[in-house]
Amino acid sequence: MKVGSQQFGYKKRLGTELGVFALKSIVSHYNNNITTVYACFLDASKAFDNVLHEKLCLKLCKRRIPMLVVKLFYVWCKTQRFRISWNGCESREFAIHKSVRQGGVLSPYLFNLYMNDLGVKLFASRIGCHIGNVATNNIWYADDLCLLAPSIYALQNMINICNHYVNQHNITFNASKTVCIEFNVQTRSSHRNNVLLGENKLSWVEQFDYLGYRITNNNKNRDGAEIEKRLRDLRIRANMLHSSFSKANECVKSRLFSTYFDQIYCLGLWIPVTKKLQDKQESLSTTFSEKYLENGVSLVYQESLLVGI
């Protein structure tokens, strides 16, 4: 069951890092052409739990899934019975009339299919960000949706499309957790009009953690907050290893080092790195090597942080 190219979740050779890269690339393209990008990060409340079985089966039929398979799936959904077990006591049996099960092998793929038509509608609207003739106005990772537009008016129209779709599909966007960011080419943000989700006014923020990556609206140092966060995490790891394993042999230390420090999330997306942040990294590397590691290993640590910088 193929879904649109806007979906990065649960696809082979795709992941959160590519989703973040797509967002940063679109914003950079527009900013390099002296155009502001307005983004809205929509938060769906318990999205997997609110999938309607009937609508999901209709979408499976439209994908020409064999009718026998669709009927089997529908009967399986409707005839399941559950109990809650707590402290040796069990509740009475009850049925669940909606949702795809959290943690189920098929659940992410079924949810992607359930929401795929929204991405198609956003592409077909021809509003929001485009690069050439390619629509780049929405990015998904499972139920995390990011809308991108070069104007607040276009952003509002896309939010209205999303709100209309989810109202028909029993999904609810949480207005208190849904936020907007203005990626301005200037150092100061321009005047922002109100953006509404239904009747609720959305908040404008200076930074947001998108797929675990902290993005700010600072045009000169877009990744500064993310790099600071990762360096703090590394410092915490280093102090933890020093306090707990400082007397361990070098083989154990090397293994722990490779476990905790070899992978730094989205390291290749750190652009640009300021002299101040590089100095902090070098200071952290020196302190860590003096307290915990031999010089040979600390050099590997230092090089691992400098990859992509």
Side-chain angles (χ1 to χ4, degrees), residues 35 52 65 104 123 133 140 154 168 172 231 239 241 262 292 307:
T35 303
L52 298 174
I65 302 297
F123 279 161
N133 293 323
W140 291 77
Q168 295 179 328
T172 303
L231 289 179
N239 289 333
L241 290 179
D262 269 6
Y292 180 71
V307 172

Side-chain angles (χ1 to χ4, degrees), residues 196-214:
L196 301 177
L197 178 60
E199 297 180 354
N200 300 298
K201 185 168 70 173
L202 299 180
S203 302
W204 290 90
V205 296
E206 305 299 319
Q207 63 182 28
F208 181 75
D209 285 354
Y210 178 61
L211 302 180
Y213 191 93
R214 185 162 296 172

Side-chain angles (χ1 to χ4, degrees), residues 14-30:
L14 296 181
T16 56
E17 188 166 351
L18 281 176
V20 175
F21 175 74
L23 171 61
K24 286 168 55 68
S25 298
I26 295 165
V27 171
S28 296
H29 173 79
Y30 272 80

Side-chain angles (χ1 to χ4, degrees), residues 11-177:
K11 284 184 173 181
K12 192 174 182 179
R13 293 189 291 274
L14 296 181
T16 56
E17 188 166 351
L18 281 176
V20 175
F21 175 74
L23 171 61
K24 286 168 55 68
S25 298
I26 295 165
V27 171
S28 296
H29 173 79
Y30 272 80
N31 284 175
N32 290 339
N33 287 279
I34 322 299
T35 303
T36 299
V37 174
Y38 299 92
C40 180
F41 299 94
L42 289 157
D43 181 85
S45 300
K46 298 181 179 179
F48 279 61
D49 295 335
N50 289 309
V51 172
L52 298 174
H53 297 150
E54 291 77 10
K55 284 190 176 290
L56 178 58
C57 287
L58 285 175
K59 292 179 184 295
L60 289 170
C61 290
K62 289 179 180 178
R63 291 298 186 98
R64 297 184 179 180
I65 302 297
M67 188 57 64
L68 180 61
V69 175
V70 177
K71 287 181 178 180
L72 179 62
F73 173 73
Y74 183 74
V75 171
W76 176 73
C77 289
K78 291 302 183 184
T79 58
Q80 290 184 99
R81 295 295 182 267
F82 299 87
R83 287 179 179 172
I84 296 174
S85 178
W86 182 73
N87 198 27
C89 298
E90 288 189 353
S91 70
R92 287 179 293 182
E93 285 188 354
F94 60 92
I96 294 179
H97 302 291
K98 59 182 181 179
S99 85
V100 288
R101 298 201 298 184
Q102 294 277 4
V105 175
L106 288 178
S107 296
Y109 305 100
L110 293 172
F111 181 80
N112 283 354
L113 176 64
Y114 191 72
M115 298 300 291
N116 183 65
D117 287 343
L118 176 54
V120 174
K121 287 179 180 292
L122 290 169
F123 279 161
S125 69
R126 303 300 297 172
I127 57 178
C129 287
H130 285 69
I131 297 180
N133 293 323
V134 179
T136 55
N137 56 6
N138 69 105
I139 301 172
W140 291 77
Y141 191 90
D143 58 343
D144 290 316
L145 170 58
C146 172
L147 302 178
L148 298 166
S151 70
I152 293 180
Y153 177 77
L155 184 65
Q156 181 65 70
N157 283 339
M158 289 196 297
I159 292 174
N160 294 342
I161 292 172
C162 293
N163 204 35
H164 179 70
Y165 183 90
V166 297
N167 287 339
Q168 295 179 328
H169 288 74
N170 199 47
I171 304 293
T172 303
F173 287 130
N174 188 337
S176 63
K177 293 183 179 180

Side-chain angles (χ1 to χ4, degrees), residues 27-28 30-37 182-188 217 219-220 222:
V27 171
S28 296
Y30 272 80
N31 284 175
N32 290 339
N33 287 279
I34 322 299
T35 303
T36 299
V37 174
E182 176 188 3
F183 297 106
N184 202 320
V185 292
Q186 305 297 329
T187 54
R188 292 183 180 180
N217 63 353
N219 185 46
K220 292 186 176 180
R222 192 82 74 198

